[in-house]
Every structure is written in structure tokens, then in C-alpha cells.
Amino acid sequence: MNDKLDKLNVLQDLAIPFPITASFRHQARAYAAQYFTPNLQHRIYFHTLAVFIADAYFRMLGFETNLNLPERWNAIHRLWSEANELELLGLGNLECCVIKKEQEKIILPSDIVRNNIGYLFIEIADSEKEAVLMGFLPAFDTETANEELQITDLQSMDDLIDYLSQKETSSLAETAKIDELSLEFTEKKITYLRNWLNNIYEGDWEPSMRDLRNATCKKNIPLAGQIFKMQLSVSQNSEELISVIVIIQGENTFLPIGMQVSVPDESDIYTETVNESGNLIKIALELSPDEEFWVELRIGETFVREYFIA
């Protein structure tokens, strides 16, 4: 009991009081009026107040948000949503959850917003003129949805800022890696794989098979005095995913022992090495549309790379 009381005292000491302006209330009512039933309008009104409060607070701290985008305020495009997420640009969506004064228990929502990074809990006074940013919870797995938690399970607002700072640092590091890869691509000849599905081929790539959703092309690759055949098979069965199968073969012989074939694998590099007699290496990839990648063939210190965009 004392432990829970201590946690509650810490939460309250670190909570952030915040005014609710007349403009917030007016805009929230106007937005909620786009919904159809009184109960839904009531809920959307308070969710939207919470979003305005969170937006003002995070912009004050220097974060960029998405509230100025027109589609954010079109209820027709948001019927799937409770309209309570705030996007912190470059980090993800923070869901704003309304709680009552002295509320002891909370239930996490069952619908998980895309690119969700956590939940911010905001207490709104009965007067609708004052609010308190009480605390947060980081994003959870789907098994935690609808679970009843104690208010003392929340992490403090100080913890939230630390959490977002860590995410910002990770995001900047990832952006630096992407920029490095993009710089490398600007200096190289790039093959656009989706062009193959439209019967468009660049350079020395020779088509060997094509239908409406699949295409296969081959190219000879000289390396260390030998000729290797690189074959890529491309298929797109959905708008969100492109499958690529890479096959490397010797021209007339087995691949040399010690030869390596590498591709980028998220933040790392995946490598297949020829350790015994074999006539091919095969690597399967699943990529997002417009994702950049390369295929590297290496023998000792000599290597060659082919660059692609899915």
C-alpha cells in the first residue's frame, strides 16, 4: 500500500498542469460534430481536447507534430480511428488517453494505431479549462490490450521525455545510415526492378521470363578474371511488398571456394559464403516498394556491386 502511494506521489509531483484554452474547446466541438451519434461525439470531443493539449505541450518542447495536415481533420477519412493519436514527426504516434480526476484503474485500448510508440494519459477537469499530463506507458504487444492496470503502473512525464529522447537518438542514427546508403546510390548506376514488370529493361540485363506479376532477368558479371551469372526474379503480389530472389552461378563451372555474396539486411549485412563445391548461391529478399539495396560478389579483396531499387 505504501509502495503504491509513493508511486502515486511521484507521478503527481512530476505531472504537468496545462491550461485548456477556449480555442481548444471550440475546435474540439467543431471536429466532434462531424461524427454521427451523441455518445461518439462526446468521446471524440474529449479525445480531441487531449490531442490539442499534448500537441501544445510537445511543440513547446520543440517536437514537430502533424496537426496542421488537412487530412488529420477530415472525419470521413478517419472513421476507423478514435482520433486520439498525435504524430511526433520522425518518431511515431502517441495515443492520448483521457482519465478522470482520482481515477485508479485504466484499460489500454484494443485498437493499436499504426506506428504506435506509446500512450499519454491526460486528466481533464470537469470545468474543461484545466488539464494535467499525468504519465505514459510505452507501446505494448497486442496481448496487453484490454488489460486493466493501476494508475500507479504509469511512468512519469520525466520518463516520457527520456523515452522520446532515446527514440530521437535512434531515429537520427538510422537516418544517418539511410543517408549514407542513399549517397552511395547517387554515385552508382541503379536498376529499377519494378520496370521489369512493365517490360522495361536497362543496360545489360536480359529478360528470361515475364508475366503480369513476375519477371526474371540475367546479367554477366566479370570478377577476378572470371564471369558469373547474376539472376534476379521479381514478383509483386501486394502494394506493400516486393519479393526478390537472387541467384549467382558460375559461367560453366562450380563457384570458387571462399566466394561471398552479400546483401543489406536491415541495419546489418547478410552474407553467403561458398564453403564446398556448389554451382549456385540463392538469396531471397522481401522489400518495400522503392527500397534501395545492392548485391555484392566478392573473391578475396576483389568485389563488385550491383545497385537496385525495388
Side-chain angles (χ1 to χ4, degrees), residues 40-94:
L40 184 56
Q41 289 176 356
H42 180 80
R43 189 164 69 244
I44 294 297
Y45 168 70
F46 280 100
H47 284 168
T48 307
L49 275 185
V51 169
F52 280 132
I53 294 159
D55 175 70
Y57 173 68
F58 285 113
R59 284 193 294 107
M60 186 175 66
L61 295 181
F63 291 91
E64 293 185 65
T65 70
N66 72 330
L67 285 201
N68 290 329
L69 299 179
E71 58 269 25
R72 178 65 178 75
W73 300 109
N74 189 332
I76 294 176
H77 292 152
R78 298 178 55 83
L79 292 179
W80 51 268
S81 168
E82 285 287 316
N84 64 331
E85 79 278 2
L86 175 70
E87 182 181 358
L88 302 179
L89 298 184
L91 298 177
N93 289 309
L94 194 63

Side-chain angles (χ1 to χ4, degrees), residues 178-192:
I178 293 171
D179 288 346
E180 183 178 340
L181 180 61
S182 298
L183 178 61
E184 182 179 1
F185 265 68
T186 61
E187 300 169 349
K188 304 296 180 181
K189 184 177 180 180
I190 300 168
T191 300
Y192 293 84

Side-chain angles (χ1 to χ4, degrees), residues 241-244 284-288 291:
L241 193 66
I242 294 176
S243 298
V244 177
L285 302 170
E286 290 189 340
L287 306 164
S288 302
E291 184 172 346

Side-chain angles (χ1 to χ4, degrees), residues 226 228 249-257 259 274 276-280:
Q226 302 181 56
F228 298 93
Q249 295 177 289
E251 187 175 29
N252 298 307
T253 61
F254 290 115
L255 296 174
I257 301 297
M259 179 181 179
V274 180
E276 57 185 29
S277 294
N279 61 358
L280 65 83

